[in-house]
Amino acid sequence: MAKKEIDTAAYADKYSDEGLMSKVKRVGKKMGGKLLYNVYVLYYVLKSRDVPVKVKAEILGALGYVLVPLDLIPDFIPVAGFTDDLAAVAFAVHSARAQITPGIQQQAENKVHKLIGSTDECELAA
């Protein structure tokens, strides 16, 4: 079976800061530490200065995809529900690798710890 590619560009218009923060507060624990950490990493890269437009567009698409509740694998499905979200986020993390600083990683780790109480899975997805 061929791996289905996620067209994250189609989801860029679904992104909003408020929507993202609302979702991570609501389902952050269900997302798991790895996805949550990478979402925050992308969020902080998006807010950084001097990030190429192409990278910002990829981040917006990936974060927009995370916000859509009914995607390739609906988020409410236990265990598998967020695997497609992680795939979309991993692609954006790979594209943004040059802009991911230790400071951004620390900010993301702090947010994950505050939200779920653990940083065990805080590693980049790409």
Side-chain angles (χ1 to χ4, degrees):
M1 179 183 216
K3 186 177 176 183
K4 196 167 200 176
E5 184 136 339
I6 301 168
D7 179 17
T8 57
Y11 295 91
D13 65 332
K14 307 290 186 218
Y15 175 80
S16 74
D17 285 356
E18 299 80 22
L20 183 66
M21 293 305 132
S22 174
K23 183 160 186 175
V24 297
K25 285 179 184 171
R26 206 172 59 255
V27 297
K29 287 183 181 182
K30 290 180 184 177
M31 290 173 122
K34 186 170 186 172
L35 176 57
L36 190 58
Y37 172 73
N38 283 277
V39 163
Y40 275 121
V41 164
L42 291 177
Y43 174 77
Y44 289 123
V45 170
L46 185 64
K47 299 301 174 188
S48 298
R49 300 167 60 110
D50 302 323
V51 175
V53 173
K54 182 178 187 240
V55 173
K56 282 192 176 201
E58 290 169 358
I59 291 171
L60 286 171
L63 294 179
Y65 188 83
V66 168
L67 288 174
V68 176
L70 294 176
D71 40 36
L72 210 56
I73 303 172
D75 296 341
F76 62 82
I77 296 174
V79 183
F82 290 104
T83 56
D84 59 326
D85 298 78
L86 184 57
V89 166
F91 176 77
V93 165
H94 178 73
S95 297
R97 184 69 92 174
Q99 283 76 36
I100 300 172
T101 65
I104 285 174
Q105 289 179 291
Q106 187 61 55
Q107 282 181 290
E109 191 172 319
N110 292 345
K111 282 291 198 176
V112 170
H113 186 268
K114 185 176 180 180
L115 191 63
I116 66 173
S118 172
T119 58
D120 292 343
E121 297 178 326
C122 288
E123 60 186 44
L124 293 175

